[in-house]
Amino acid sequence: MDFDFSPEEQKFAEEVDAWLVENRDPVVMDHHRENFTQLSDTPERRAFMKKLAAKGWLGMSWPKEFGGQEIEGVYEYILNEALSKHAAPQIGKGVGIIGKTLIRHGNDFLKQKFLPLILDAEIEFAVGYSEPEAGSDAANMQLRADKVEGGWLLNGQKMWTTSAHFADWYWVGARTDQDKPKHDGLSLFLIDMDNPNLEVQSLPTIGKDTTNQVFFDDVFVPDEYLVGQQGKGFQMISEALDLERFTMFTLSPIANRSEVLVDWVKEAKRDDEPLKDDTNVRRTIAHIMTDTAVAKALSTRFVCAAKSGGKPPTIESSQYKLFTTSLSQRVCKDALDIQGHEGTIMEGQDDAPLRGRFEGAYRATMNETVGGGSSEIQKNIIARRHLGLPKNF
Amino acid sequence: MDLELAEEQQMVIDMAKAMLEEHCPTQLVRDMEDDAHGVPAELWSQMSDLGLNGLLIPEEYGGGGLGLLEGAFVYEELGRAMAPVPHFVSCVLSAKVLLAAGSDAQKEAWLGKIADGSAILTPAWLEPERGQGEKGIALEAKSEGATFKLTGRKRSVPYASAADQLVVLARTDAGVDLFLVDPNASGVTMKQLLSQGREPQYQIDFDGVAVSAENRIGEAGTGWATWNAAMHEGIILLAAQAIGGADRCLVETVDYANQRIQFDKPLGAFQALAHYMADASTRIDGGRVLVHEAAWNADQGRTIARFAPMAKLFCCEAYRETTRVCAQIWGGVAFTIEYDQQMFFRRAKALQLSWWDTPYLEELIASDVLD
């Protein structure tokens, strides 16, 4: 048992850290802002991602024949954690979920077309799994894909596609077999977001970010843009989520939040008395930091399970996601409780504690226990696959 | 990073598990509740024979010389079995205090016997209406030439009636000191106190008990630091014990939930109940890694000022919460004495409040983080 990174891993962590200090861009890297790649898009962020690509840091775990370095996924974890420690954007779903699924299952055409674009940070993806009738129940997707000559015609609607308003390509699950059991009738497609028959309607959220609903009206997708085997969509989606969940919900943004709160509490005063001397505040901080340590322990367990190969780290991934996303919300809630009424002042207003960081985060983190497989889905996975409870629900 | 167990570590776990399954059935745990002596002879001698009592004691004193991580593996099994043994007080706390600060003569006299189980030592630490920190030690040890005279009251001294020596925390002119005291010495009186965990514990009155200065452990005024360090290591093991108890409680509950039919389906098929169990398993698995990380850090010689209290705070809360939701799943039988669930439920709370309770641990963590 060893909780340290290996010397090589440690060296890489230090290299990334030093590079991020040297290449600090205050526009892209801001500790007062939540910063997830997939939620926002600016020229500065695209430029930053190009710099990461130039360092060869995108797709490190990919096979060499596809431009990767064939090193373990733990390096991507280290990179992501370092990026979020510096409040920089993450390497994101292109490298992880989409790139790796294409490598595992995609045809040669898709590999040749998309993998180099991902490695060069030339492309932004949106992921379309959710639908009005299929949120957490991904197997219940109803978007129809009907076979026509040379391709497929897609009709229906997607919901909660976070980056559809700026993405270049759309990674979409659709029902290709109407008569098969629902898990077996789904397939994955890549769709050009410029397709005129796709209509993106933005949905403002209570956070700062926008999500979207997307309407498909006879959207034609050529045959070669079917990802992997027809009917294996659900299996590919599940596999990617199991393997790549730590690229979607890295720990550092959450650990960062705890640290930012601690640093603030250390300095803050109320009626001239140090806030940190308040017993309730001390107790709250003790629990936040303890739970953050547990979240870190669960992430270590997840990364080690992923690293050891063998079976996908499904349980480790679900437990990590369940615990961590709930902690993330709790930290924001507790921070507002500590800040009291002043905590409700929004970013940009005078007198907002920490420039409104926790007010904004409180609203923004609401999606974490819902997106990427809701907490209840994670509990079902744990109950059935880990504890062996019956599948009746 | 690598969380795989070494082969020898897995062997330690398997050995402890197999021995406890054979020699520590639930009936034994029940039989020992409120027993005045409290040490089941056969189990204790099995533990000695297998080297578990000397696990953390260096080889030169007849122990196994293993680290806290291996200790954590064994403690998870002890917790799973609810083993009613004085291992923690004797083989962990007393041994660690002697190892850290004892004289050569004290180490020679006791460590070998602790390791082979032939002697039991137990700390007399807590006092009525006093806290768990250094300020809590009021029992007076008055220096009179080459002896100290101890006067005052200790409460909740575990296994005191079975102890060959008490490790008494007392206040001297120099601060807090630790003394080895013969429980049969003149002026020592004991009275059993029943408590929630149902292990034997005693109120002990010291009425001018004469203790030779040679029986002070360590330099004058260093007793609290020695005790504090031993406790930090010890509570990591108790966190492991909590995980073991929680894990068994959950495993038995899952088994029950798979078999018990209500409304025409197994209890486990009800999502409300399945989710309780999924949450419990997540807390248990997360807590276990935190314990291992804390123990591993201690074995690496790194500070555990933050990790150790975090491990105990989290794992004991996980144990208590697991027993609460499991009782909910078992329903009415959970609170009948006939079923074992109530034993976990009581022990979880008792362990949470023993050996540094929640507010004390919270403050340790907060002061490390904030001050």
Side-chain angles (χ1 to χ4, degrees):
Chain A
M1 196 171 282
D2 187 349
F3 283 86
D4 282 343
F5 290 126
S6 71
E8 297 77 39
E9 291 161 356
Q10 185 57 35
K11 192 165 156 262
F12 177 67
E14 284 161 17
E15 186 194 341
V16 176
D17 204 60
W19 187 85
L20 286 166
V21 170
E22 210 171 293
N23 288 275
R24 199 181 135 59
D25 177 346
V27 178
V28 181
M29 297 148 84
D30 183 350
H31 274 287
H32 284 81
R33 222 175 42 211
E34 300 300 315
N35 213 341
F36 290 104
T37 304
Q38 55 265 60
L39 298 185
S40 61
D41 186 48
T42 61
E44 290 86 355
R45 188 179 68 77
R46 288 207 180 207
F48 179 81
M49 297 312 283
K50 292 289 284 181
K51 278 162 89 174
L52 285 186
K55 287 293 289 179
W57 285 344
L58 300 184
M60 288 183 290
S61 67
W62 291 10
K64 284 187 178 154
E65 63 170 309
F66 301 116
Q69 302 173 35
E70 279 185 30
I71 54 178
E72 283 172 343
V74 67
Y75 284 90
E76 277 159 1
Y77 170 80
I78 291 169
L79 175 63
N80 258 342
E81 294 297 344
L83 289 168
S84 44
K85 189 180 115 197
H86 289 268
Q90 310 269 294
I91 57 176
K93 54 190 178 266
V95 168
I97 288 172
I98 292 162
K100 288 188 190 169
T101 303
L102 286 179
I103 289 168
R104 282 191 284 265
H105 304 287
N107 61 34
D108 289 343
F109 167 79
L110 293 177
K111 286 179 192 163
Q112 278 160 22
K113 180 175 172 76
F114 287 102
L115 297 180
L117 293 174
I118 294 171
L119 286 188
D120 291 343
E122 282 290 338
I123 189 166
E124 297 287 340
F125 291 97
V127 171
Y129 298 151
S130 293
E131 295 180 11
E133 300 300 324
S136 290
D137 185 9
N140 195 32
M141 284 180 206
Q142 300 300 330
L143 180 78
R144 274 185 83 101
D146 292 304
K147 190 75 190 84
V148 293
E149 196 187 337
W152 302 80
L153 268 188
L154 273 58
N155 282 286
Q157 184 191 349
K158 289 288 172 188
M159 284 293 284
W160 321 123
T161 304
T162 41
S163 11
H165 56 298
F166 63 80
D168 309 301
W169 282 83
Y170 203 3
W171 176 262
V172 165
R175 186 161 298 281
T176 43
D177 299 283
Q178 307 298 327
D179 305 327
K180 288 201 171 157
K182 62 181 191 174
H183 287 82
D184 297 333
L186 299 177
S187 301
L188 276 172
F189 295 94
L190 270 160
I191 303 170
D192 190 337
M193 289 297 298
D194 287 339
N195 191 307
N197 295 355
L198 267 184
E199 187 196 344
V200 177
Q201 284 182 5
S202 288
L203 292 169
T205 70
I206 69 162
K208 274 193 298 192
D209 298 300
T210 293
T211 188
N212 305 279
Q213 49 188 343
V214 183
F215 297 92
F216 296 66
D217 181 14
D218 275 347
V219 172
F220 178 74
V221 183
D223 278 332
E224 58 268 34
Y225 288 86
L226 170 74
V227 179
Q229 232 181 305
Q230 181 186 334
K232 293 288 177 201
F234 186 78
Q235 289 78 355
M236 285 188 277
I237 290 169
S238 305
E239 176 190 275
L241 280 173
D242 285 347
L243 294 172
E244 307 300 335
R245 194 163 267 132
F246 69 78
T247 67
M248 289 175 71
F249 294 98
T250 37
L251 181 65
S252 286
I254 294 158
N256 260 349
R257 254 176 241 147
S258 307
E259 295 288 346
V260 166
L261 178 64
V262 164
D263 288 344
W264 180 79
V265 166
K266 279 182 182 173
E267 304 298 326
K269 293 196 170 180
R270 186 161 298 143
D271 296 336
D272 301 324
E273 297 292 330
L275 204 55
K276 78 179 180 71
D277 291 346
D278 181 302
T279 306
N280 286 329
V281 171
R282 296 179 76 78
R283 295 188 68 177
T284 303
I285 293 293
H287 284 278
I288 286 176
M289 295 307 282
T290 298
D291 288 358
T292 303
V294 174
K296 174 145 187 314
L298 284 167
S299 87
T300 303
R301 183 165 165 269
F302 178 23
V303 172
C304 287
K307 197 174 154 180
S308 74
K311 59 183 172 69
T314 309
I315 304 306
E316 292 84 352
S317 151
S318 289
Q319 289 183 332
Y320 168 73
K321 205 261 176 184
L322 172 65
F323 188 87
T324 306
T325 53
S326 135
L327 168 65
S328 174
Q329 293 180 355
R330 208 161 63 243
V331 171
C332 299
K333 174 198 80 73
D334 287 345
L336 291 191
D337 284 342
I338 290 173
Q339 291 176 343
H341 187 260
E342 267 180 310
T344 63
I345 302 172
M346 290 175 102
E347 184 184 349
Q349 307 299 300
D350 288 350
D351 302 323
L354 279 169
R355 282 171 36 202
R357 159 86 189 245
F358 282 101
E359 188 285 320
Y362 178 79
R363 288 180 282 118
T365 55
M366 205 177 176
N367 67 339
E368 293 178 359
T369 51
V370 175
S374 69
S375 293
E376 289 67 27
I377 291 292
Q378 308 308 325
K379 290 181 196 188
N380 286 350
I381 291 171
I382 296 163
R384 286 177 194 167
R385 297 200 218 168
H386 185 39
L387 300 178
L389 289 165
K391 208 181 168 179
N392 267 10
F393 46 82
Chain B
M1 291 194 300
D2 172 17
L3 298 187
E4 294 286 314
L5 299 182
E7 205 175 317
E8 310 83 71
Q9 292 172 331
Q10 188 59 52
M11 277 166 60
V12 170
I13 295 172
D14 294 344
M15 187 248 298
K17 194 190 283 281
M19 186 277 291
L20 288 162
E21 275 172 9
E22 186 178 347
H23 297 282
C24 189
T26 313
Q27 190 57 49
L28 177 75
V29 181
R30 286 174 174 269
D31 291 347
M32 296 312 290
E33 291 205 331
D34 296 336
D35 184 271
H37 179 69
V39 186
E42 199 212 334
L43 175 59
W44 189 240
S45 98
Q46 283 289 334
M47 289 180 65
S48 296
D49 292 350
L50 290 176
L52 294 178
N53 290 337
L55 193 75
L56 303 171
I57 294 171
E59 291 175 21
E60 58 179 306
Y61 299 109
L66 293 179
L68 215 53
L69 186 56
E70 285 75 22
F73 298 146
V74 170
Y75 263 75
E76 181 168 340
E77 299 312 318
L78 293 174
R80 199 182 311 279
M82 295 186 276
V85 284
H87 191 280
F88 184 68
V89 291
S90 190
C91 310
V92 178
L93 286 180
S94 300
K96 287 205 170 288
V97 161
L98 285 174
L99 275 167
S103 66
D104 290 344
Q106 289 166 344
K107 289 180 190 170
E108 288 297 332
W110 296 110
L111 287 173
K113 290 181 176 175
I114 292 173
D116 70 17
S118 61
I120 291 168
L121 274 65
T122 189
W125 161 43
L126 296 167
E127 300 180 20
E129 295 182 8
R130 299 198 69 87
Q132 299 159 82
E134 190 171 1
K135 276 199 294 192
I137 309 300
L139 184 135
E140 185 188 42
K142 204 169 178 184
S143 174
E144 290 183 4
T147 52
F148 286 87
K149 286 279 178 64
L150 272 56
T151 304
R153 176 174 279 183
K154 291 288 179 182
R155 66 167 174 87
S156 308
V157 183
Y159 295 96
S161 63
D164 296 278
Q165 292 284 305
L166 305 171
V167 177
V168 180
L169 285 92
R171 191 160 289 281
T172 61
D173 292 341
V176 170
D177 277 307
L178 293 155
F179 294 94
L180 283 168
V181 179
D182 184 343
N184 298 312
S186 169
V188 176
T189 51
M190 293 189 193
K191 184 178 152 197
Q192 188 170 2
L193 303 172
L194 300 183
S195 72
Q196 189 170 43
R198 312 288 278 275
E199 77 284 15
Q201 51 173 265
Y202 284 82
Q203 177 193 77
I204 306 185
D205 282 306
F206 296 78
D207 183 10
V209 178
V211 180
S212 153
E214 285 170 11
N215 283 341
R216 189 180 66 206
I217 303 171
E219 298 296 315
T222 61
W224 185 260
T226 303
W227 174 252
N228 192 47
M231 279 290 287
H232 271 86
E233 293 197 47
I235 58 173
I236 295 174
L237 300 181
L238 295 185
Q241 182 179 329
I243 290 300
D247 197 45
R248 175 165 162 202
C249 183
L250 179 63
V251 165
E252 292 188 359
T253 305
V254 166
D255 198 32
Y256 180 71
N258 271 324
Q259 290 171 25
R260 168 86 174 165
I261 308 291
Q262 290 275 271
F263 304 104
D264 300 325
K265 53 183 180 178
L267 287 182
F270 290 91
Q271 214 170 21
L273 304 187
H275 285 188
Y276 282 157
M277 293 181 263
D279 274 330
S281 98
T282 302
R283 281 191 290 265
I284 290 168
D285 289 342
R288 182 183 288 120
V289 186
L290 188 67
V291 168
H292 293 168
E293 190 169 9
W296 182 83
N297 271 281
D299 288 342
Q300 301 295 310
R302 299 179 192 170
T303 177
I304 49 169
R306 193 181 294 192
F307 261 131
M310 280 179 168
K312 181 165 191 286
L313 179 73
F314 186 86
C315 295
C316 284
E317 174 64 27
Y319 190 10
R320 200 215 77 88
E321 187 60 13
T322 299
T323 61
R324 182 188 72 78
V325 297
C326 286
Q328 193 67 25
I329 293 163
W330 283 81
V333 295
F335 50 90
T336 65
I337 297 300
E338 184 190 348
Y339 280 71
D340 291 345
Q341 284 302 307
Q342 47 85 19
M343 296 206 292
F344 293 110
F345 186 73
R346 285 184 286 111
R347 275 172 179 73
K349 193 64 192 171
L351 185 59
Q352 185 181 32
L353 298 183
S354 299
W355 310 109
W356 290 350
D357 61 18
T358 302
Y360 193 81
L361 295 167
E362 287 168 344
E363 179 48 36
L364 284 179
I365 298 161
S367 65
D368 192 67
V369 172
L370 290 171
D371 298 339

